[in-house]
Amino acid sequence: MYRCILRGLKIEGSIDLSSCPRQQMMSDKKWSITTRSRPRRCIHSWISPATTDRRQPLTHFLAAQVMHQGAQSKSMSIARRKRLPSAFPVIDGALHPIQNHVFELNLQNSLVCQERYHKYKAQVLKGGGDNAVLRHTQRNKKLLVRDRLRRLLDDEDYLELGPFAGLGLPYGDIPSAGCLTGIGKINGLWCVFIANDATVKGGTAYPITVKKQLRAQDVAMQNRLPCVYLVDSGGAFLPLQSEIFPDKNQGGRTFYNEAVMSAMKIPQVAVVCGSCTAGGAYIPTMAEETVMVHGIGTIFLGGPPLVKAATGEEVTPEDLGGARLHAEVSGCVDHFAAVEQDAYEATRNIISTLNFQLPEEEEEAGRVEEPLHSAEGLLGLAPRSYNHSLDAKLIVSRLTDGSKFQEFKARYGATLLTGFGRIEGHLVGIVANNGELTYEASLKGCHFVTLCDQRDVPLVFLQNTAPQPSLTLSKDKAEANTNRLKAQGSMMSAVACASTPRITVVIGGCHGADSYAMCGRAFDPNFLFLWPNARVSLVAPGCSEALVHEESEATQLNKMLEEESGAFFSSGRLWDDGVILPRDTRKILSNCLKIIKQQDYQISKEKLRTPLLRL
C-alpha cells in the first residue's frame, strides 16, 4: 500500500491508478490517501513503503482524482449531515378564560376578513371575464395561464406572489395585475415564474404589471432562483405611458434586470406562447434559452398593421415573426415547439440541465413535529385592533415544531418577544411584537438580530406595531423618547445590515417608524405577507385626533385611513407579497425557508471579476 501526500488538502480515501501513466512503476494500483488543510499550491509526491525517504513528482492525474473524490465526499457529507437535536422548551399556548372575550371578538373580525379574502380570490380567478376566456381559448387556441402552469410545474403547490395586485386602482381593476408571478418546482427545483394573462386587457402591461414583474425579478435575484418567463403580452398601455416607460423602476428595468441576472449566473428561460411585441420582444431575446410555440407565438418590434402603414406591404404575423422564422432564419429562439404542451416539456428539460446538486431527502423530514395547538386558533389570535392583541407566544406556539421555543432575554424588554424555534425542521429566530417597541425592547431586538446574523440563522418577524407614535408631553417624556429613538435606530441598523434571510408577516398593525425596525417593506425582507386583518398606515384609524386640531379634519382623515389601511388596499398596490390566511402561515414560512436555502445547492456560482484599473 502506498501512502500519498498532497500538501494542502484534507481528504482520506483510495484512488484507482489503473489509467495513470506511472502505473508500470507501481505494484499496487490502489493508493491510500491522507492529506491535510486546503490547497495553496499543487505540490504532489509519493512515498514507497520500501524507501520512505525517496520522493518523486506525481502526474496531474493524481491531483485530479483526489480533487474529484474530495468533491464527491463533500457533497455526500452535506447530504448526510445531521442537525443538532432540539432541546427547546415547550411554551404554553393554551388560552386562559380571561382571554376568551378578546379571542371571540378577534374571531368574528377574522371571519369577516376571511370572507373578503375568498371574494377577491374568486374575482382574481376569473381573469378578464367569461368573454375574454372564450376568445382566448376558442378563437386564439391558447391555454389559460393557470393551465400553462399546471403543465410546467411539478404540482399546484406553488407560492403565488401578489395575487391581489391590481385590484381597486384609480385606472380600474386589473386582476392579478395582468400576470401571474410566484415560485414553484420544476423538476424538483424551485423557480420563479412570470406568466402573462392575456385574458386581462389582452395582456396589456399597466404600471402595476411592470411593478409586479420587477418584484418577481427582485425575488429571483435576492434568493438566486432560476426564472421562467411565459410571454403572452400585447405591450404597454399607451394612455399611461408616462407611468410605464421613463423612470428607473419602470419598463426598461425589466431588461436591465435580465442582464444583471445573467451576470449573476441566475438562469433564465423564456417561453413565447403568444404575442411578444415592441419592448416585450426583448424579454425572450435576452433570456439564456428561449422556446417558441408555432402558430401562436410571435416576436416583432412592429406588427403587420405597422408594416402595412409604413411600407404598404401586407404580411401575416407568422411570416413576420413566427416560430419557424425565428428558429430557422433569425436564430432568436433556441427551441421550436409545434404545440404548447411540447413547449412546457422542453422547458422542463432545459431546467434539468441547470447545474444544481440537490440533497437527498432526509429521513428526519417525515418526523417533523407538528405544533401542539391547532392552526385554526390563529383566527382568534389575529388582532382586530392593537387593543385586542393577545400574548405573541400564543401565535408562536401554533407555528413552531412541537410548540417549542427558546426565549431570549425573557425578563428584559418584554414588549418584544425574541427567541429560537424550528418551523418544519428549519431553525429560525423569531422577533414578535408583544406591545410597544420601547427603549429596552429595541436594545433587545438589536442584540438578537445581530446574534442571528452572526450565526446565519434566518429571521422571522411577526409584526404588530403600535398604532401611533409616542407623544412628547413633558421633559421626562422627551428624554425617554430620545433614548427610545436612539435604541430604535440601533435596531433598524441591525435589521438593515443583517445578511441573514428575513421573512416578515404582518399579523396586526404595520404603523409608523416602528414598522421599519420590524423589517417592513422599506427594509427589503426576502418575503413580506399580510394577514387579512392587517392594517398598513402611518397611524391607525381612530388615532388621528392627537395629530389634528379640528374635528372635521380628524373625521375626514380617519375615513381616509379606514379605507387606505386595509390589507387588500395594500396588496392591490404591491406593498407586500400577498395576503395569506393565518392557518397557512406555517406552511408558507416553511416553503419560503426551503426556497431561500436552495441557493446553497447551486454548483455554478457567480464568477469573480478582475477590477478594471484605469491608467
Side-chain angles (χ1 to χ4, degrees):
M1 182 69 68
Y2 288 88
R3 181 166 59 90
C4 177
I5 299 174
L6 275 76
R7 236 172 263 174
L9 290 173
K10 187 178 181 182
I11 304 167
E12 293 186 359
S14 60
I15 293 180
D16 185 2
L17 296 178
S18 57
S19 58
C20 179
R22 288 184 175 269
Q23 60 178 319
Q24 66 273 13
M25 298 172 58
M26 307 170 188
S27 57
D28 191 352
K29 304 296 173 62
K30 295 282 185 180
W31 282 35
S32 176
I33 308 299
T34 303
T35 56
R36 298 182 298 276
S37 184
R38 286 192 299 177
R40 295 182 181 176
R41 53 183 178 176
C42 293
I43 301 177
H44 313 298
S45 62
W46 61 273
I47 300 177
S48 168
T51 56
T52 56
D53 57 342
R54 181 188 175 191
R55 300 190 178 193
Q56 296 184 9
L58 196 61
T59 63
H60 291 290
F61 171 85
L62 180 56
Q65 290 289 321
V66 171
M67 296 299 293
H68 175 69
Q69 291 191 7
Q72 282 187 331
S73 63
K74 182 179 179 182
S75 63
M76 290 175 64
S77 65
I78 290 175
R80 293 175 182 170
R81 62 188 176 190
K82 186 178 179 181
R83 66 168 182 256
L84 293 174
S86 173
F88 300 157
V90 176
I91 54 175
D92 181 16
L95 201 67
H96 301 291
I98 196 173
Q99 300 168 323
N100 285 337
H101 177 64
V102 176
F103 184 90
E104 289 298 328
L105 290 175
N106 287 341
L107 179 59
Q108 292 174 16
N109 180 66
S110 291
L111 291 175
V112 173
C113 294
Q114 189 170 269
E115 186 178 348
R116 191 178 302 132
Y117 172 92
H118 290 300
K119 172 189 170 184
Y120 287 131
K121 189 73 174 177
Q123 181 180 344
V124 164
L125 290 175
K126 290 180 180 178
D130 295 337
N131 292 335
V133 168
L134 283 174
R135 183 168 59 250
H136 184 84
T137 55
Q138 301 299 323
R139 191 186 75 181
N140 298 333
K141 308 297 182 184
K142 297 180 184 178
L143 294 173
L144 295 173
V145 64
R146 295 186 187 275
D147 292 331
R148 287 170 171 169
L149 292 176
R150 290 188 188 98
R151 286 162 172 76
L152 175 65
L153 304 177
D154 293 352
D155 50 52
E156 294 189 44
D157 186 24
Y158 57 82
L159 176 64
E160 187 173 352
L161 300 175
F164 301 111
L167 297 183
L169 298 179
Y171 45 82
D173 285 338
I174 315 294
S176 287
C179 70
L180 266 65
T181 63
I183 307 170
K185 280 191 174 183
I186 304 176
N187 283 345
L189 197 67
W190 290 104
C191 300
V192 168
F193 60 81
I194 302 174
N196 295 112
D197 185 356
T199 69
V200 179
K201 313 292 185 181
T204 303
Y206 285 76
I208 193 67
T209 311
V210 174
K211 186 175 182 180
K212 187 171 181 179
Q213 291 174 344
L214 293 180
R215 172 57 187 159
Q217 288 182 318
D218 285 342
V219 169
M221 286 189 281
Q222 193 172 20
N223 302 288
R224 298 192 61 86
L225 298 171
C227 190
V228 178
Y229 305 88
L230 303 185
V231 190
D232 187 0
S233 174
F237 183 63
L238 290 180
L240 294 175
Q241 63 85 27
S242 63
E243 300 177 42
I244 296 175
F245 165 70
D247 207 356
K248 174 184 176 182
N249 288 318
Q250 292 179 353
R253 193 71 177 187
T254 305
F255 316 125
Y256 173 87
N257 285 345
E258 280 195 76
V260 170
M261 289 163 71
S262 290
M264 294 173 65
K265 303 194 78 173
I266 297 175
Q268 297 171 90
V269 180
V271 182
V272 182
C273 46
S275 178
C276 201
T277 310
Y282 293 103
I283 291 177
T285 52
M286 292 186 69
E288 290 159 8
E289 288 194 60
T290 301
V291 184
M292 194 168 181
V293 184
H294 177 63
I296 62 173
T298 56
I299 301 176
F300 34 60
L301 292 177
L306 188 61
V307 173
K308 185 175 181 180
T311 66
E313 180 184 358
E314 293 188 2
V315 62
T316 65
E318 186 65 25
D319 291 337
L320 183 63
R324 193 177 298 279
L325 172 82
H326 287 302
E328 299 176 359
V329 180
S330 73
C332 281
V333 301
D334 309 297
H335 305 275
F336 176 91
V339 294
E340 278 202 70
Q341 180 61 39
D342 293 347
Y344 306 123
E345 290 178 2
T347 305
R348 291 178 60 84
N349 291 338
I350 292 170
I351 295 298
S352 67
T353 67
L354 302 183
N355 201 1
F356 282 78
Q357 191 171 30
L358 301 179
E360 297 178 3
E361 293 294 332
E362 297 182 6
E363 296 179 1
E364 299 177 2
R367 299 200 298 267
V368 171
E369 293 182 84
E370 292 296 322
L372 301 180
H373 307 279
S374 172
E376 295 297 330
L378 291 172
L379 285 175
L381 298 174
R384 176 184 177 183
S385 67
Y386 185 77
N387 295 328
H388 287 75
S389 301
L390 295 172
D391 192 346
K393 290 182 184 178
L394 299 177
I395 295 176
V396 172
S397 68
R398 286 158 174 82
L399 298 178
T400 58
D401 296 355
S403 298
K404 296 177 180 178
F405 182 68
Q406 175 67 40
E407 191 170 358
F408 177 79
K409 283 186 183 289
R411 294 177 178 268
Y412 184 78
T415 57
L416 186 70
L417 178 69
T418 58
F420 297 97
R422 293 190 184 275
I423 297 178
E424 293 197 3
H426 300 277
L427 178 65
V428 295
I430 296 176
V431 182
N433 287 117
N434 220 10
E436 291 189 11
L437 201 57
T438 62
Y439 166 75
E440 294 82 5
S442 300
L443 289 180
K444 171 181 174 178
C446 177
H447 185 177
F448 184 71
V449 169
T450 306
L451 186 66
C452 289
D453 187 37
Q454 183 195 34
R455 298 177 182 176
D456 290 329
V457 176
L459 283 158
V460 174
F461 292 86
L462 302 179
Q463 186 178 147
N464 180 26
T465 52
Q468 65 179 358
S470 181
L471 299 177
T472 301
L473 303 175
S474 65
K475 183 177 180 180
D476 291 340
K477 191 68 174 176
E479 185 177 350
N481 284 344
T482 300
N483 291 332
R484 179 179 179 179
L485 284 173
K486 290 177 182 177
Q488 285 185 355
S490 297
M491 185 174 174
M492 287 184 195
S493 296
V495 172
C497 298
S499 59
T500 190
R502 295 157 296 164
I503 305 170
T504 303
V505 181
V506 180
I507 60 175
C510 176
H511 303 300
D514 289 12
S515 67
Y516 303 145
M518 290 298 293
C519 201
R521 185 64 160 205
F523 276 58
D524 208 18
N526 293 61
F527 298 97
L528 187 148
F529 301 102
L530 306 182
W531 281 359
N533 59 289
R535 292 278 179 183
V536 182
S537 60
L538 185 61
V539 295
C543 297
S544 59
E545 288 82 358
L547 304 177
V548 295
H549 300 290
E550 295 186 10
E551 184 177 349
S552 59
E553 188 179 355
T555 303
Q556 184 179 359
L557 186 58
N558 280 328
K559 183 179 178 181
M560 183 194 71
L561 289 172
E562 186 70 35
E563 178 185 347
E564 295 185 357
S565 64
F568 296 99
F569 185 93
S570 166
S571 205
R573 286 151 181 77
L574 274 177
W575 298 345
D576 51 75
D577 292 317
V579 178
I580 63 173
L581 296 176
R583 66 168 177 262
D584 298 330
T585 305
R586 173 176 158 87
K587 179 182 177 183
I588 289 174
L589 288 175
S590 173
N591 283 342
C592 290
L593 292 166
K594 293 174 184 175
I595 289 165
I596 292 168
K597 191 175 180 61
Q598 179 177 276
Q599 59 188 296
D600 297 339
Y601 308 133
Q602 185 176 4
I603 305 302
S604 53
K605 299 291 185 181
E606 183 179 358
K607 293 180 180 178
L608 295 177
R609 287 171 170 75
T610 304
L612 179 65
L613 301 179
R614 189 180 297 274
L615 299 179

